[in-house]
Amino acid sequence: MQLKIALLGGDGIGPEVLAQSVKCLRAVEETFNHRFIYDEAPVGAIAMTSTGKPLPDETLKLCRESDAILFGAIGALEYDNNPEAKIRPEQGLLKLRKELGLFASIRPIRTFPTLIGNSPLKEKIIGNTNLVIFRELTGGIYFGKKTISADGTVASDLCEYSEQEISRIAHLAFKAAKKRRKKLTLVDKANVLESSRLWRKTVTEIGESYSDIELQCLFIDNAAVQMMLKPDQFDVILTDNMFGDILSDLGSVIIGSTGLLPSASVGTDNAMFEPFHGSYPQAKGKNIANPIASILSTAMMLQHFGMDEEANAVMTAVHKSFVKKVVTPDVLGSSKYGTEYVGDYITENIVDSDENFNLNEENIWLGKSTII
């Protein structure tokens, strides 16, 4: 297979972790006889420095012309600490999602048996966690009309959704649940918000067409509590943009590190794959950033294009790095291994696989039904 892949390293540790993903892809090319074409482009704060825009026109054009996008991270301290900034790096990512129609964020959260002790939660609580969050990505409060009074003392953000926006991601989530454990949980705030009431009405009506799927509805506050108390009760979670953002971060608490969680953002014609940790500018250039989330996002990309064997090879190599404790310090505090070494180790184990270290298909971390 031949794929054209846009590489958007972005800010902070983004370029460093993305470089490890590219190493893995080159190993996949060599091992499985594929050809991937890579093109790099700036986005975020680094793009603002050279063009004044967080998403330059040429970057957007490249993304439109590519089969897939691998994204690093976005954000810089000088903007985080400046509430008066009119343009922010994160606006580039939001615009990219909107322009490419990436309406569904798919975020798998599953505990790794060898790393379960890293979580602040007890093993008996999180041991069987295996869920996926479907977060609506191009609507809601992040994209609604924003106002601030002339004196800067009153501000508002409009949360707006259409039935069509809700329906298209709901069908994806129900289809995913059909291939998994046949349970879907809608998370909303329908006791207070009119937009949430539309979510509940629309999803409930769609659920009637999926009679074999158990549909549960939870308010966001209760859902957050339940994720901490008994995460294994969830299979597929469907929710809006802001609530999905919050619940995804709780997933990092469950497994013990944001550096282990991948994600996919998909639309009708485009797809982007990225770790959902931040840019972590404090670690930039120090060779301590965890590349696993980026590498697992790359495995999701391979899976998206039907390359299940290739994705399995990447995930097997990642799992071996856990077993052999070849991880960065955020995973194992005493670890002496850095970003580059971990990336190299995983890459080498894709190219030269150990026949005695195969994963049972049921234990593949991402599972076969993550991407629709």
Side-chain angles (χ1 to χ4, degrees), residues 22-89:
V22 174
K23 287 180 186 177
C24 292
L25 280 177
R26 293 194 188 283
V28 169
E29 286 184 82
E30 181 179 338
T31 304
F32 294 94
N33 195 30
H34 297 304
R35 181 168 181 255
F36 303 143
I37 301 168
Y38 310 97
D39 287 297
E40 298 184 39
V43 69
I46 189 70
M48 293 171 67
T49 301
S50 57
T51 69
K53 298 179 179 180
L55 180 64
D57 295 340
E58 286 301 310
T59 299
L60 179 58
K61 181 175 183 291
L62 171 64
C63 292
R64 291 189 192 279
E65 295 172 350
S66 299
D67 296 303
I69 305 156
L70 286 180
F71 196 93
I74 203 164
L77 288 176
E78 60 263 37
Y79 297 99
D80 292 344
N81 298 327
N82 180 12
E84 305 299 324
K86 300 300 182 185
I87 303 176
R88 297 178 180 276

Side-chain angles (χ1 to χ4, degrees), residues 100-118:
L100 297 182
L102 304 176
F103 64 86
S105 173
I106 303 169
R107 300 185 168 187
I109 299 169
R110 183 172 181 175
T111 48
F112 300 93
T114 51
L115 302 181
I116 213 159
N118 285 19

Side-chain angles (χ1 to χ4, degrees), residues 68-71 263-265 271-275 297 300-301 304 371:
I69 305 156
L70 286 180
F71 196 93
S263 75
S265 302
M272 180 168 70
F273 304 86
E274 60 177 309
S297 297
M300 290 184 78
M301 183 197 76
H304 178 74
I371 301 292

